[in-house]
C-alpha cells in the first residue's frame, strides 16, 4: 500500500495563484510575503516554484517502476568510447 503524503499548506496558495497570474515570480513573491519558506528555510524563488509546480507527486500523480529512456534514434556510446575498457 502506497503512503500518500498530506499536502503542504503553501500548496493551497501556489496553484491557484499561478493559474490566475501565470507568473512564477509573482507566486514566489506572495509565498515570501505570507511567510512561507522552502524546506531548507530559504525564501522562495521563481525556479523553486516552477520545480514544485512541475513535480508530478505534488499534483497527486505517482509513478512506480519508471526509468528514463533515451530519445528515439540516439545511440548509447560504448565504454570504449569513454576510454574505459
Amino acid at each position: 500500500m502506497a503512503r500518500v503524503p498530506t499536502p503542504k499548506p503553501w500548496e493551497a496558495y501556489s496553484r491557484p495563484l499561478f493559474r490566475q497570474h501565470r507568473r512564477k515570480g509573482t507566486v514566489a513573491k506572495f509565498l515570501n510575503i505570507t511567510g512561507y519558506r522552502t524546506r531548507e528555510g530559504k525564501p522562495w524563488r521563481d525556479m523553486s516554484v516552477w520545480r514544485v509546480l512541475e513535480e508530478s507527486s505534488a499534483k497527486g500523480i505517482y509513478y512506480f517502476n519508471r526509468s528514463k529512456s533515451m530519445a528515439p534514434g540516439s545511440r548509447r556510446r560504448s565504454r570504449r568510447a569513454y576510454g574505459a575498457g
Side-chain angles (χ1 to χ4, degrees):
M1 179 182 225
R3 196 176 106 207
V4 178
T6 58
K8 312 292 187 286
W10 49 264
E11 285 179 358
Y13 298 116
S14 60
R15 291 195 187 283
L17 265 178
F18 185 73
R19 279 189 219 115
Q20 180 183 0
H21 297 287
R22 291 289 184 195
R23 298 282 185 269
K24 298 173 284 190
T26 305
V27 175
K29 198 178 296 185
F30 178 79
L31 290 173
N32 290 329
I33 289 171
T34 53
Y36 292 108
R37 295 287 182 239
T38 62
R39 188 183 328 174
E40 292 86 22
K42 297 179 181 180
W44 285 93
R45 300 183 70 192
D46 58 347
M47 285 311 296
S48 54
V49 169
W50 186 247
R51 286 186 196 108
V52 167
L53 291 173
E54 284 295 307
E55 179 62 37
S56 63
S57 62
K59 298 176 194 173
I61 302 169
Y62 298 95
Y63 296 108
F64 298 100
N65 298 328
R66 178 177 256 207
S67 62
K68 291 186 177 184
S69 62
M70 297 181 63
S74 64
R75 296 186 320 181
R76 181 170 268 169
R77 299 173 85 185
S78 67
R79 292 184 67 174
R80 289 187 198 144
Y82 292 108

